[in-house]
Amino acid sequence: MIGHSPAPVHPSRRRVPVVIVGAGPAGLTLANVLRDASVDCVVLEAESRTFVETRPRAGFIEEWAVRALERHGLADRLLERAPRHGACEFRAGGERHRFAYAEVSGHHHFVYPQPLLVTDLVRQYADVKGGDIRFGVRDVELHDIGTGEPSVSYTDPASGEHRRIACRFVAGCDGARGVTRASLPPGHAHTARFEYGVGWLALLAEAPPSSDCVVFGVHPRGFAAHMARSPEVTRYYLECPSGDDPENWPHERVWSQLRERLSAAGAAPLTEGRLIEKRVLDLHNYVVRPMAHGRLFLAGDAAHLVAPIAAKGMNLALHDALLLAEALIACHRTGDEAGLRGYSAACLRRVWDYQEFSQWFAELLHGPSSGDPFRAGSAAARLRRLFTSPAAAAAFAESYIGATPPGNQR
Ligand code: FAD
């Protein structure tokens, strides 16, 4: 057998201030803000540009995050095109209960599908600002992150060459399935996990929205939801057993369950359409603590996952990216590392707020179908309180739309 000699490594001559692994909302926001502040960076992305610009996922962006993107010149198209939502509707026991959270909190969601935001961020960074982004890279590995001279190696997709970039800092923005989290030394970082024990069938339908707001169907047969994505596409969710096979959900079964679980007196019938995405999410959350080690800083889903119960994940990814950008810029300009030292703790405060709210909300949505009369009764009380107690309504509205971070109030 002929042995393979190891591929030669081509080190870069200069030390780049920041290597960002992953071109999702976190990595691209960070890259744009750094580039604007003349902090050089390289973005390494495993997928192609077309893939990241078309991957469907989130759709609801909280107003504080939109305003923060706007301040960095990253929200022009979003503000032009995204409708604002300020209400959601609960359907339970055949009745409709509309909750106008914008009236209570003064803030809205912007409905802007994640692929559009990613497209805007790639365009701004790569095409407008001439930023360095390398798509389709393989075998990304981090080296020496515990030292002052870290580097990131990868295989170049075109040449097959193994390259290495020397840097000062590495931003791990490579999502839930990335590689950077694994570089935190065991014993240093701890991952707190929570399994909900239920699945959600996540669906995208080629059908216009059937309501002017998000609809949550709270039903003994299982939770269901309707969320607009665009005038032509709507996201739906159906609670299902954890580990269920999407093939168990043919077109007819999906639509009959959606009709049943979202039915309520006076509600418009659902506009049905072809299902263009159908996958089962086994609902779980995790939080990595701390979100940094040495010269590696995690951001977004790489550091924490929150099940899409209250549409929080992308918003947290943006929050991390903005804080990390601020800290890296301060360090680059003045050598002040205080922001970097406080980065993990500052992010985790919001992360835990959102995790706690998602868990609270999940119980309201899943309790009635749990088969446990105690959980069902408690869930009904949670829902009832939103419509009978102004204090409960205000607390829900603030958590649902996301409190404005202190630094954003300017
Ligand atoms: P990602 O978007 O996952 O980006 C990570 C990037 O890293 C990817 O491009 C990936 O290809 C790349 N990568 C991975 N591994 C490597 C590697 N080894 N080397 C180089 N690159 C790598 N959130 C909301 O706020 N609102 C919502 O309405 C909402 N709805 C959702 C609906 C669904 C069905 C799902 C699944 C999620 C939803 N989310 C929502 C969550 C949101 O999509 C994520 O939280 C968000 O994408 C996180 O952004 P990120 O940049 O951290 O990670």
Side-chain angles (χ1 to χ4, degrees), residues 80-143:
E80 254 168 53
R81 298 198 260 168
R84 294 186 329 157
H85 278 207
C88 59
E89 184 174 300
F90 294 89
R91 294 185 184 167
E95 290 182 5
R96 302 167 72 189
H97 308 273
R98 191 175 173 91
F99 185 85
Y101 56 86
E103 283 175 19
V104 184
S105 68
H107 298 292
H108 293 80
H109 282 105
F110 287 69
V111 185
Y112 200 55
Q114 186 165 334
L116 294 185
L117 180 67
V118 166
T119 301
D120 295 352
L121 293 172
V122 173
R123 198 179 64 83
Q124 276 294 323
Y125 176 69
D127 304 339
V128 177
K129 299 171 189 160
D132 187 341
I133 181 164
R134 305 176 192 180
F135 289 102
V137 302
R138 300 193 307 276
D139 314 321
V140 169
E141 277 181 53
L142 313 191
H143 309 274

Short mmCIF file of all heavy atoms in Angstrom, two decimals, residues 80-143:
data_model
loop_
_atom_site.label_atom_id
_atom_site.label_comp_id
_atom_site.label_asym_id
_atom_site.label_seq_id
_atom_site.Cartn_x
_atom_site.Cartn_y
_atom_site.Cartn_z
N GLU A 80 -36.61 48.69 3.87
CA GLU A 80 -37.43 48.93 2.68
C GLU A 80 -38.50 47.85 2.49
O GLU A 80 -39.61 48.12 2.11
CB GLU A 80 -36.52 48.81 1.44
CG GLU A 80 -36.15 50.10 0.75
CD GLU A 80 -35.03 49.78 -0.21
OE1 GLU A 80 -35.16 48.86 -1.06
OE2 GLU A 80 -34.01 50.45 -0.07
N ARG A 81 -38.08 46.59 2.80
CA ARG A 81 -38.92 45.48 2.37
C ARG A 81 -39.67 44.75 3.48
O ARG A 81 -40.65 44.07 3.20
CB ARG A 81 -38.05 44.45 1.64
CG ARG A 81 -37.42 45.01 0.38
CD ARG A 81 -36.97 43.89 -0.51
NE ARG A 81 -35.56 43.64 -0.39
CZ ARG A 81 -34.94 42.58 -0.89
NH1 ARG A 81 -35.63 41.66 -1.51
NH2 ARG A 81 -33.65 42.43 -0.77
N ALA A 82 -39.17 44.82 4.73
CA ALA A 82 -39.74 43.94 5.75
C ALA A 82 -41.01 44.52 6.36
O ALA A 82 -40.97 45.63 6.91
CB ALA A 82 -38.72 43.70 6.85
N PRO A 83 -42.11 43.78 6.32
CA PRO A 83 -43.28 44.26 7.06
C PRO A 83 -43.05 44.17 8.56
O PRO A 83 -42.27 43.34 9.02
CB PRO A 83 -44.40 43.29 6.64
CG PRO A 83 -43.78 42.20 5.86
CD PRO A 83 -42.33 42.53 5.61
N ARG A 84 -43.72 45.03 9.30
CA ARG A 84 -43.61 45.02 10.75
C ARG A 84 -44.81 44.29 11.35
O ARG A 84 -45.93 44.48 10.89
CB ARG A 84 -43.57 46.45 11.30
CG ARG A 84 -42.34 47.21 10.88
CD ARG A 84 -42.23 48.57 11.54
NE ARG A 84 -43.51 49.20 11.84
CZ ARG A 84 -43.67 50.13 12.78
NH1 ARG A 84 -42.65 50.53 13.50
NH2 ARG A 84 -44.84 50.69 12.99
N HIS A 85 -44.55 43.46 12.37
CA HIS A 85 -45.64 42.80 13.07
C HIS A 85 -45.63 43.22 14.53
O HIS A 85 -44.56 43.28 15.14
CB HIS A 85 -45.47 41.27 13.01
CG HIS A 85 -45.97 40.67 11.74
ND1 HIS A 85 -46.43 39.38 11.64
CD2 HIS A 85 -46.09 41.19 10.50
CE1 HIS A 85 -46.81 39.13 10.40
NE2 HIS A 85 -46.60 40.21 9.68
N GLY A 86 -46.83 43.47 15.07
CA GLY A 86 -46.90 43.89 16.46
C GLY A 86 -47.95 43.13 17.24
O GLY A 86 -48.33 43.55 18.33
N ALA A 87 -48.41 42.01 16.66
CA ALA A 87 -49.44 41.24 17.37
C ALA A 87 -49.26 39.76 17.04
O ALA A 87 -48.69 39.41 16.01
CB ALA A 87 -50.83 41.69 16.93
N CYS A 88 -49.72 38.93 17.95
CA CYS A 88 -49.81 37.50 17.66
C CYS A 88 -51.18 37.02 18.15
O CYS A 88 -51.86 37.74 18.89
CB CYS A 88 -48.68 36.72 18.32
SG CYS A 88 -48.60 36.87 20.10
N GLU A 89 -51.54 35.84 17.70
CA GLU A 89 -52.87 35.34 18.07
C GLU A 89 -52.74 33.94 18.63
O GLU A 89 -52.02 33.10 18.07
CB GLU A 89 -53.75 35.32 16.82
CG GLU A 89 -55.18 34.92 17.10
CD GLU A 89 -56.04 35.05 15.84
OE1 GLU A 89 -56.15 36.17 15.30
OE2 GLU A 89 -56.58 34.03 15.39
N PHE A 90 -53.42 33.69 19.74
CA PHE A 90 -53.50 32.34 20.30
C PHE A 90 -54.86 31.78 19.93
O PHE A 90 -55.88 32.46 20.07
CB PHE A 90 -53.35 32.38 21.82
CG PHE A 90 -51.99 32.84 22.28
CD1 PHE A 90 -51.73 34.19 22.48
CD2 PHE A 90 -50.98 31.92 22.49
CE1 PHE A 90 -50.47 34.62 22.89
CE2 PHE A 90 -49.71 32.35 22.91
CZ PHE A 90 -49.46 33.70 23.10
N ARG A 91 -54.86 30.53 19.46
CA ARG A 91 -56.14 29.86 19.23
C ARG A 91 -56.20 28.66 20.16
O ARG A 91 -55.32 27.78 20.12
CB ARG A 91 -56.26 29.42 17.77
CG ARG A 91 -56.31 30.63 16.85
CD ARG A 91 -56.54 30.27 15.40
NE ARG A 91 -56.47 31.49 14.60
CZ ARG A 91 -56.38 31.51 13.27
NH1 ARG A 91 -56.36 30.38 12.58
NH2 ARG A 91 -56.33 32.66 12.63
N ALA A 92 -57.22 28.65 21.00
CA ALA A 92 -57.35 27.57 21.99
C ALA A 92 -58.83 27.35 22.25
O ALA A 92 -59.59 28.33 22.32
CB ALA A 92 -56.64 27.95 23.29
N GLY A 93 -59.22 26.09 22.37
CA GLY A 93 -60.62 25.77 22.66
C GLY A 93 -61.57 26.35 21.62
O GLY A 93 -62.69 26.73 21.95
N GLY A 94 -61.11 26.46 20.38
CA GLY A 94 -61.97 26.97 19.30
C GLY A 94 -62.15 28.48 19.33
O GLY A 94 -62.96 29.03 18.59
N GLU A 95 -61.38 29.18 20.18
CA GLU A 95 -61.52 30.65 20.26
C GLU A 95 -60.22 31.34 19.88
O GLU A 95 -59.14 30.76 20.00
CB GLU A 95 -61.90 31.06 21.69
CG GLU A 95 -63.30 30.65 22.05
CD GLU A 95 -63.69 31.11 23.45
OE1 GLU A 95 -62.89 31.82 24.08
OE2 GLU A 95 -64.79 30.73 23.88
N ARG A 96 -60.35 32.60 19.46
CA ARG A 96 -59.17 33.39 19.08
C ARG A 96 -58.90 34.44 20.15
O ARG A 96 -59.82 35.11 20.62
CB ARG A 96 -59.45 34.12 17.76
CG ARG A 96 -59.80 33.18 16.64
CD ARG A 96 -60.37 33.95 15.47
NE ARG A 96 -59.36 34.72 14.79
CZ ARG A 96 -59.63 35.62 13.83
NH1 ARG A 96 -60.88 35.86 13.48
NH2 ARG A 96 -58.66 36.26 13.24
N HIS A 97 -57.63 34.58 20.50
CA HIS A 97 -57.23 35.60 21.47
C HIS A 97 -56.07 36.38 20.87
O HIS A 97 -54.96 35.84 20.78
CB HIS A 97 -56.77 34.96 22.79
CG HIS A 97 -57.77 33.98 23.34
ND1 HIS A 97 -58.78 34.36 24.16
CD2 HIS A 97 -57.90 32.64 23.17
CE1 HIS A 97 -59.51 33.31 24.49
NE2 HIS A 97 -58.99 32.24 23.90
N ARG A 98 -56.31 37.60 20.47
CA ARG A 98 -55.25 38.40 19.83
C ARG A 98 -54.48 39.18 20.89
O ARG A 98 -55.09 39.83 21.75
CB ARG A 98 -55.89 39.36 18.82
CG ARG A 98 -54.90 40.04 17.90
CD ARG A 98 -55.66 40.88 16.88
NE ARG A 98 -54.77 41.68 16.07
CZ ARG A 98 -54.23 41.30 14.92
NH1 ARG A 98 -54.51 40.11 14.42
NH2 ARG A 98 -53.43 42.12 14.25
N PHE A 99 -53.15 39.10 20.81
CA PHE A 99 -52.31 39.78 21.80
C PHE A 99 -51.46 40.82 21.07
O PHE A 99 -50.53 40.48 20.33
CB PHE A 99 -51.42 38.76 22.51
CG PHE A 99 -50.61 39.36 23.62
CD1 PHE A 99 -51.15 39.50 24.88
CD2 PHE A 99 -49.32 39.82 23.40
CE1 PHE A 99 -50.42 40.09 25.91
CE2 PHE A 99 -48.58 40.41 24.42
CZ PHE A 99 -49.14 40.54 25.69
N ALA A 100 -51.80 42.10 21.27
CA ALA A 100 -51.12 43.18 20.54
C ALA A 100 -49.90 43.63 21.34
O ALA A 100 -49.93 44.64 22.06
CB ALA A 100 -52.08 44.33 20.29
N TYR A 101 -48.79 42.89 21.21
CA TYR A 101 -47.63 43.17 22.07
C TYR A 101 -46.99 44.52 21.76
O TYR A 101 -46.36 45.12 22.63
CB TYR A 101 -46.60 42.03 22.02
CG TYR A 101 -46.09 41.68 20.64
CD1 TYR A 101 -45.02 42.35 20.06
CD2 TYR A 101 -46.68 40.64 19.92
CE1 TYR A 101 -44.55 42.00 18.81
CE2 TYR A 101 -46.22 40.29 18.66
CZ TYR A 101 -45.15 40.98 18.11
OH TYR A 101 -44.69 40.64 16.87
N ALA A 102 -47.13 45.02 20.54
CA ALA A 102 -46.53 46.33 20.22
C ALA A 102 -47.24 47.44 21.00
O ALA A 102 -46.62 48.43 21.39
CB ALA A 102 -46.59 46.61 18.73
N GLU A 103 -48.54 47.26 21.23
CA GLU A 103 -49.27 48.27 22.01
C GLU A 103 -48.77 48.31 23.45
O GLU A 103 -48.79 49.34 24.11
CB GLU A 103 -50.77 47.96 22.01
CG GLU A 103 -51.43 48.34 20.70
CD GLU A 103 -52.89 47.92 20.67
OE1 GLU A 103 -53.50 47.68 21.73
OE2 GLU A 103 -53.41 47.82 19.53
N VAL A 104 -48.33 47.15 23.95
CA VAL A 104 -47.87 47.07 25.33
C VAL A 104 -46.40 47.48 25.44
O VAL A 104 -46.01 48.20 26.36
CB VAL A 104 -48.06 45.62 25.87
CG1 VAL A 104 -47.68 45.54 27.35
CG2 VAL A 104 -49.49 45.16 25.65
N SER A 105 -45.58 47.01 24.48
CA SER A 105 -44.12 47.22 24.61
C SER A 105 -43.62 48.41 23.81
O SER A 105 -42.52 48.90 24.04
CB SER A 105 -43.39 45.97 24.10
OG SER A 105 -43.59 45.85 22.69
N GLY A 106 -44.39 48.83 22.80
CA GLY A 106 -43.93 49.90 21.93
C GLY A 106 -42.98 49.42 20.84
O GLY A 106 -42.42 50.24 20.10
N HIS A 107 -42.77 48.11 20.73
CA HIS A 107 -41.81 47.59 19.74
C HIS A 107 -42.43 46.51 18.86
O HIS A 107 -43.37 45.84 19.26
CB HIS A 107 -40.57 47.04 20.44
CG HIS A 107 -39.83 48.10 21.21
ND1 HIS A 107 -39.18 49.14 20.60
CD2 HIS A 107 -39.68 48.29 22.54
CE1 HIS A 107 -38.63 49.92 21.51
NE2 HIS A 107 -38.94 49.44 22.70
N HIS A 108 -41.80 46.33 17.68
CA HIS A 108 -42.32 45.40 16.68
C HIS A 108 -41.29 44.35 16.30
O HIS A 108 -40.09 44.53 16.54
CB HIS A 108 -42.68 46.17 15.39
CG HIS A 108 -43.82 47.11 15.55
ND1 HIS A 108 -43.67 48.35 16.13
CD2 HIS A 108 -45.13 47.00 15.22
CE1 HIS A 108 -44.85 48.97 16.15
NE2 HIS A 108 -45.76 48.17 15.61
N HIS A 109 -41.73 43.30 15.64
CA HIS A 109 -40.85 42.41 14.89
C HIS A 109 -40.82 42.88 13.44
O HIS A 109 -41.82 43.40 12.93
CB HIS A 109 -41.39 40.97 14.89
CG HIS A 109 -41.13 40.22 16.15
ND1 HIS A 109 -42.11 39.97 17.08
CD2 HIS A 109 -40.00 39.65 16.64
CE1 HIS A 109 -41.59 39.28 18.09
NE2 HIS A 109 -40.31 39.08 17.84
N PHE A 110 -39.71 42.64 12.78
CA PHE A 110 -39.62 42.85 11.33
C PHE A 110 -39.57 41.46 10.70
O PHE A 110 -38.76 40.62 11.12
CB PHE A 110 -38.37 43.65 10.97
CG PHE A 110 -38.49 45.11 11.34
CD1 PHE A 110 -38.52 45.50 12.67
CD2 PHE A 110 -38.61 46.08 10.36
CE1 PHE A 110 -38.66 46.84 13.03
CE2 PHE A 110 -38.73 47.42 10.71
CZ PHE A 110 -38.77 47.80 12.05
N VAL A 111 -40.44 41.23 9.74
CA VAL A 111 -40.50 39.89 9.11
C VAL A 111 -39.59 39.91 7.89
O VAL A 111 -39.92 40.51 6.86
CB VAL A 111 -41.95 39.53 8.72
CG1 VAL A 111 -42.00 38.10 8.18
CG2 VAL A 111 -42.86 39.67 9.93
N TYR A 112 -38.43 39.31 8.04
CA TYR A 112 -37.43 39.35 6.97
C TYR A 112 -36.73 38.00 6.96
O TYR A 112 -35.96 37.68 7.88
CB TYR A 112 -36.42 40.47 7.26
CG TYR A 112 -35.64 40.94 6.05
CD1 TYR A 112 -36.28 41.37 4.89
CD2 TYR A 112 -34.25 40.95 6.07
CE1 TYR A 112 -35.56 41.81 3.80
CE2 TYR A 112 -33.52 41.42 4.98
CZ TYR A 112 -34.18 41.84 3.85
OH TYR A 112 -33.46 42.29 2.76
N PRO A 113 -36.98 37.18 5.95
CA PRO A 113 -36.42 35.83 5.96
C PRO A 113 -34.89 35.86 6.06
O PRO A 113 -34.23 36.69 5.44
CB PRO A 113 -36.87 35.25 4.62
CG PRO A 113 -38.09 36.03 4.26
CD PRO A 113 -37.87 37.41 4.80
N GLN A 114 -34.37 34.93 6.84
CA GLN A 114 -32.92 34.86 7.06
C GLN A 114 -32.10 34.87 5.76
O GLN A 114 -31.07 35.54 5.70
CB GLN A 114 -32.61 33.61 7.90
CG GLN A 114 -31.16 33.49 8.32
CD GLN A 114 -30.98 32.46 9.42
OE1 GLN A 114 -31.89 32.18 10.20
NE2 GLN A 114 -29.80 31.88 9.50
N PRO A 115 -32.52 34.14 4.71
CA PRO A 115 -31.72 34.17 3.48
C PRO A 115 -31.59 35.57 2.90
O PRO A 115 -30.55 35.91 2.32
CB PRO A 115 -32.48 33.27 2.50
CG PRO A 115 -33.43 32.48 3.32
CD PRO A 115 -33.65 33.19 4.61
N LEU A 116 -32.61 36.41 3.06
CA LEU A 116 -32.50 37.79 2.55
C LEU A 116 -31.50 38.58 3.38
O LEU A 116 -30.68 39.34 2.84
CB LEU A 116 -33.87 38.49 2.58
CG LEU A 116 -34.95 37.93 1.65
CD1 LEU A 116 -36.19 38.82 1.71
CD2 LEU A 116 -34.44 37.85 0.21
N LEU A 117 -31.54 38.40 4.71
CA LEU A 117 -30.59 39.11 5.56
C LEU A 117 -29.16 38.67 5.23
O LEU A 117 -28.24 39.48 5.08
CB LEU A 117 -30.90 38.86 7.04
CG LEU A 117 -29.95 39.58 8.00
CD1 LEU A 117 -30.12 41.10 7.92
CD2 LEU A 117 -30.14 39.11 9.44
N VAL A 118 -28.97 37.35 5.10
CA VAL A 118 -27.63 36.83 4.79
C VAL A 118 -27.17 37.36 3.43
O VAL A 118 -26.01 37.79 3.28
CB VAL A 118 -27.63 35.28 4.84
CG1 VAL A 118 -26.38 34.70 4.21
CG2 VAL A 118 -27.77 34.81 6.30
N THR A 119 -28.06 37.39 2.45
CA THR A 119 -27.70 37.92 1.12
C THR A 119 -27.25 39.37 1.24
O THR A 119 -26.24 39.77 0.66
CB THR A 119 -28.93 37.82 0.18
OG1 THR A 119 -29.29 36.45 0.10
CG2 THR A 119 -28.61 38.36 -1.21
N ASP A 120 -28.00 40.17 2.00
CA ASP A 120 -27.63 41.58 2.18
C ASP A 120 -26.26 41.71 2.84
O ASP A 120 -25.44 42.54 2.45
CB ASP A 120 -28.64 42.31 3.08
CG ASP A 120 -30.03 42.41 2.46
OD1 ASP A 120 -30.17 42.05 1.27
OD2 ASP A 120 -30.96 42.83 3.17
N LEU A 121 -26.03 40.88 3.87
CA LEU A 121 -24.77 41.00 4.64
C LEU A 121 -23.57 40.55 3.80
O LEU A 121 -22.50 41.14 3.87
CB LEU A 121 -24.86 40.18 5.94
CG LEU A 121 -25.88 40.68 6.97
CD1 LEU A 121 -26.02 39.69 8.13
CD2 LEU A 121 -25.48 42.06 7.51
N VAL A 122 -23.76 39.49 2.99
CA VAL A 122 -22.66 39.04 2.11
C VAL A 122 -22.38 40.13 1.07
O VAL A 122 -21.23 40.48 0.81
CB VAL A 122 -23.02 37.71 1.39
CG1 VAL A 122 -21.94 37.37 0.36
CG2 VAL A 122 -23.17 36.57 2.37
N ARG A 123 -23.44 40.68 0.51
CA ARG A 123 -23.26 41.70 -0.53
C ARG A 123 -22.51 42.92 0.02
O ARG A 123 -21.55 43.40 -0.56
CB ARG A 123 -24.64 42.14 -1.07
CG ARG A 123 -24.60 42.85 -2.41
CD ARG A 123 -26.02 43.19 -2.85
NE ARG A 123 -26.64 44.14 -1.94
CZ ARG A 123 -26.46 45.45 -1.98
NH1 ARG A 123 -25.72 45.99 -2.92
NH2 ARG A 123 -27.06 46.25 -1.11
N GLN A 124 -22.94 43.37 1.20
CA GLN A 124 -22.29 44.53 1.81
C GLN A 124 -20.81 44.25 2.07
O GLN A 124 -19.95 45.06 1.75
CB GLN A 124 -22.95 44.87 3.16
CG GLN A 124 -24.18 45.73 3.06
CD GLN A 124 -23.86 47.12 2.54
OE1 GLN A 124 -22.81 47.68 2.87
NE2 GLN A 124 -24.72 47.67 1.71
N TYR A 125 -20.55 43.07 2.66
CA TYR A 125 -19.17 42.78 3.08
C TYR A 125 -18.28 42.49 1.86
O TYR A 125 -17.19 43.07 1.74
CB TYR A 125 -19.18 41.57 4.03
CG TYR A 125 -17.81 41.12 4.43
CD1 TYR A 125 -17.01 41.91 5.26
CD2 TYR A 125 -17.28 39.91 3.96
CE1 TYR A 125 -15.73 41.50 5.61
CE2 TYR A 125 -16.00 39.50 4.31
CZ TYR A 125 -15.23 40.31 5.13
OH TYR A 125 -13.96 39.91 5.46
N ALA A 126 -18.75 41.61 0.98
CA ALA A 126 -17.87 41.14 -0.10
C ALA A 126 -17.89 42.08 -1.30
O ALA A 126 -16.85 42.48 -1.82
CB ALA A 126 -18.28 39.73 -0.52
N ASP A 127 -19.09 42.46 -1.75
CA ASP A 127 -19.19 43.21 -3.01
C ASP A 127 -19.00 44.71 -2.81
O ASP A 127 -18.34 45.37 -3.59
CB ASP A 127 -20.57 42.97 -3.67
CG ASP A 127 -20.84 41.49 -3.87
OD1 ASP A 127 -19.86 40.72 -3.89
OD2 ASP A 127 -22.01 41.10 -3.98
N VAL A 128 -19.60 45.25 -1.74
CA VAL A 128 -19.52 46.70 -1.53
C VAL A 128 -18.20 47.07 -0.85
O VAL A 128 -17.49 47.97 -1.29
CB VAL A 128 -20.74 47.21 -0.72
CG1 VAL A 128 -20.63 48.69 -0.45
CG2 VAL A 128 -22.04 46.86 -1.43
N LYS A 129 -17.84 46.33 0.22
CA LYS A 129 -16.65 46.73 1.00
C LYS A 129 -15.39 45.97 0.59
O LYS A 129 -14.32 46.23 1.14
CB LYS A 129 -16.90 46.49 2.49
CG LYS A 129 -18.07 47.29 3.05
CD LYS A 129 -18.44 46.87 4.46
CE LYS A 129 -19.73 47.52 4.90
NZ LYS A 129 -20.37 46.84 6.01
N GLY A 130 -15.54 45.01 -0.32
CA GLY A 130 -14.35 44.25 -0.77
C GLY A 130 -13.74 43.37 0.31
O GLY A 130 -12.54 43.10 0.30
N GLY A 131 -14.58 42.89 1.23
CA GLY A 131 -14.06 42.04 2.32
C GLY A 131 -13.67 40.65 1.83
O GLY A 131 -14.16 40.16 0.81
N ASP A 132 -12.77 40.02 2.58
CA ASP A 132 -12.22 38.70 2.20
C ASP A 132 -13.12 37.61 2.77
O ASP A 132 -13.22 37.45 3.99
CB ASP A 132 -10.79 38.61 2.79
CG ASP A 132 -10.04 37.36 2.32
OD1 ASP A 132 -10.70 36.41 1.86
OD2 ASP A 132 -8.80 37.35 2.44
N ILE A 133 -13.77 36.86 1.90
CA ILE A 133 -14.61 35.74 2.36
C ILE A 133 -14.33 34.56 1.44
O ILE A 133 -14.28 34.71 0.22
CB ILE A 133 -16.11 36.13 2.38
CG1 ILE A 133 -16.98 34.98 2.89
CG2 ILE A 133 -16.62 36.64 1.06
CD1 ILE A 133 -18.39 35.41 3.31
N ARG A 134 -14.07 33.41 2.04
CA ARG A 134 -13.69 32.23 1.27
C ARG A 134 -14.75 31.15 1.47
O ARG A 134 -14.90 30.62 2.58
CB ARG A 134 -12.31 31.75 1.71
CG ARG A 134 -11.30 32.89 1.58
CD ARG A 134 -9.93 32.57 2.08
NE ARG A 134 -9.16 33.82 2.16
CZ ARG A 134 -7.91 33.93 2.55
NH1 ARG A 134 -7.24 32.84 2.89
NH2 ARG A 134 -7.31 35.10 2.60
N PHE A 135 -15.51 30.89 0.41
CA PHE A 135 -16.60 29.91 0.49
C PHE A 135 -16.08 28.51 0.17
O PHE A 135 -15.08 28.34 -0.53
CB PHE A 135 -17.70 30.28 -0.52
CG PHE A 135 -18.47 31.51 -0.14
CD1 PHE A 135 -18.22 32.73 -0.75
CD2 PHE A 135 -19.44 31.45 0.84
CE1 PHE A 135 -18.93 33.87 -0.40
CE2 PHE A 135 -20.17 32.58 1.21
CZ PHE A 135 -19.90 33.79 0.58
N GLY A 136 -16.82 27.52 0.64
CA GLY A 136 -16.54 26.12 0.27
C GLY A 136 -15.28 25.55 0.89
O GLY A 136 -14.78 24.52 0.43
N VAL A 137 -14.75 26.19 1.95
CA VAL A 137 -13.52 25.67 2.56
C VAL A 137 -13.81 24.36 3.30
O VAL A 137 -14.94 24.12 3.73
CB VAL A 137 -12.88 26.68 3.54
CG1 VAL A 137 -12.58 28.00 2.85
CG2 VAL A 137 -13.79 26.92 4.75
N ARG A 138 -12.79 23.52 3.41
CA ARG A 138 -12.98 22.24 4.13
C ARG A 138 -11.91 22.13 5.23
O ARG A 138 -10.93 22.86 5.25
CB ARG A 138 -12.84 21.07 3.16
CG ARG A 138 -13.86 21.10 2.03
CD ARG A 138 -13.90 19.77 1.28
NE ARG A 138 -12.59 19.33 0.83
CZ ARG A 138 -12.00 19.72 -0.30
NH1 ARG A 138 -12.61 20.56 -1.10
NH2 ARG A 138 -10.80 19.28 -0.63
N ASP A 139 -12.13 21.16 6.10
CA ASP A 139 -11.13 20.78 7.12
C ASP A 139 -10.67 21.95 7.99
O ASP A 139 -9.48 22.06 8.31
CB ASP A 139 -9.88 20.17 6.46
CG ASP A 139 -10.22 19.15 5.40
OD1 ASP A 139 -11.18 18.39 5.62
OD2 ASP A 139 -9.54 19.13 4.35
N VAL A 140 -11.60 22.82 8.38
CA VAL A 140 -11.19 23.96 9.22
C VAL A 140 -10.71 23.45 10.58
O VAL A 140 -11.37 22.64 11.21
CB VAL A 140 -12.35 24.96 9.40
CG1 VAL A 140 -12.03 26.00 10.47
CG2 VAL A 140 -12.67 25.64 8.08
N GLU A 141 -9.54 23.89 10.99
CA GLU A 141 -9.01 23.53 12.31
C GLU A 141 -8.40 24.75 12.98
O GLU A 141 -7.77 25.57 12.30
CB GLU A 141 -7.89 22.49 12.18
CG GLU A 141 -8.38 21.07 12.04
CD GLU A 141 -7.21 20.10 11.93
OE1 GLU A 141 -6.33 20.15 12.83
OE2 GLU A 141 -7.16 19.35 10.95
N LEU A 142 -8.59 24.85 14.28
CA LEU A 142 -7.99 25.96 15.03
C LEU A 142 -6.71 25.46 15.71
O LEU A 142 -6.65 24.31 16.14
CB LEU A 142 -8.95 26.47 16.11
CG LEU A 142 -10.41 26.74 15.71
CD1 LEU A 142 -11.11 27.49 16.84
CD2 LEU A 142 -10.50 27.53 14.42
N HIS A 143 -5.73 26.35 15.81
CA HIS A 143 -4.46 25.98 16.44
C HIS A 143 -4.06 27.04 17.46
O HIS A 143 -4.23 28.24 17.22
CB HIS A 143 -3.35 25.88 15.39
CG HIS A 143 -3.74 25.03 14.22
ND1 HIS A 143 -3.56 23.66 14.20
CD2 HIS A 143 -4.33 25.35 13.04
CE1 HIS A 143 -4.02 23.18 13.05
NE2 HIS A 143 -4.49 24.19 12.33
#
